[in-house]
Amino acid sequence: MRFNRIIRFSFLIFSLVIFFSCKNEKNTTSSDKVEVIFKKEGILHLKKANTDSIIKTLDIEIAEDVYETQTGLMYRTKLGTKQGMLFIFPDEQIRSFYMKNTKIPLDIIYINELYEIVSFQKNAKPFDETSLPSDAPAQYVLEIKAGLSDEWQLEVGDKIEFKKN
């Protein structure tokens, strides 16, 4: 009987020690500690469809392998107004993005194989895992700071031209 009490009491003490030690731990993840910095990998021109005049020139990071396209702008804390990320896919199809682990609001611009804008997902909300599909098949996707596609008056049919470093 006494042995049973000692075991129960020991188990209670052990449980309390574990509970309080876990409760006092900070809930941080490695992504909270890592700052991902923009790395210029090319230049992109946004052009008006009817005049071919340059609307804006951006420094871009390029995502073209599986890891880069899955990670995108996740964990970033800032993106300049003259910066963007261009996703390059091997083929043209309906694309869908989401904002998992993405800390900054974005405009997502879907572009076909002819370098024409085919649709937008504007003001995508940080951390929102809702699917944000293209309205038409796309081979390229450009992510820029939220609100810029309206500020620059981008429209379906406008074009891009880019060059890798």
Side-chain angles (χ1 to χ4, degrees), residues 41-165:
E41 297 174 320
I43 263 186
L44 181 139
H45 300 291
L46 290 159
K47 296 178 155 190
K48 264 300 175 211
N50 52 356
T51 64
D52 212 33
S53 61
I54 295 175
I55 301 165
K56 196 57 76 173
T57 298
L58 304 175
D59 292 336
I60 54 169
E61 277 189 65
I62 297 172
E64 52 189 334
D65 68 27
V66 174
Y67 175 76
E68 292 168 338
T69 56
Q70 287 178 351
T71 307
L73 292 172
M74 288 180 174
Y75 312 111
R76 308 291 177 103
T77 56
K78 60 187 171 192
L79 182 66
T81 56
K82 293 185 179 180
Q83 295 176 329
M85 179 170 275
L86 181 66
F87 296 79
I88 301 173
F89 295 97
D91 59 356
E92 185 179 67
Q93 61 180 287
I94 296 294
R95 303 274 170 210
S96 189
F97 277 46
Y98 62 94
M99 297 289 287
K100 180 179 182 179
N101 297 322
T102 306
K103 298 178 178 184
I104 50 179
L106 299 171
D107 285 350
I108 302 169
I109 304 169
Y110 295 99
I111 301 152
N112 68 15
E113 65 186 356
L114 302 173
Y115 306 105
E116 301 165 330
I117 295 173
V118 294
S119 68
F120 298 89
Q121 287 286 348
K122 297 179 182 181
N123 296 302
K125 294 175 181 67
F127 302 105
D128 188 352
E129 294 187 36
T130 303
S131 180
L132 302 168
S134 59
D135 293 339
Q139 184 166 356
Y140 305 92
V141 179
L142 177 64
E143 291 183 336
I144 58 176
K145 192 173 184 177
L148 292 178
S149 59
D150 283 339
E151 183 179 318
W152 298 337
Q153 300 176 6
L154 296 177
E155 300 174 318
V156 169
D158 288 343
K159 298 182 176 195
I160 67 162
E161 178 180 282
F162 68 92
K163 180 181 170 191
K164 297 179 185 180
N165 286 347

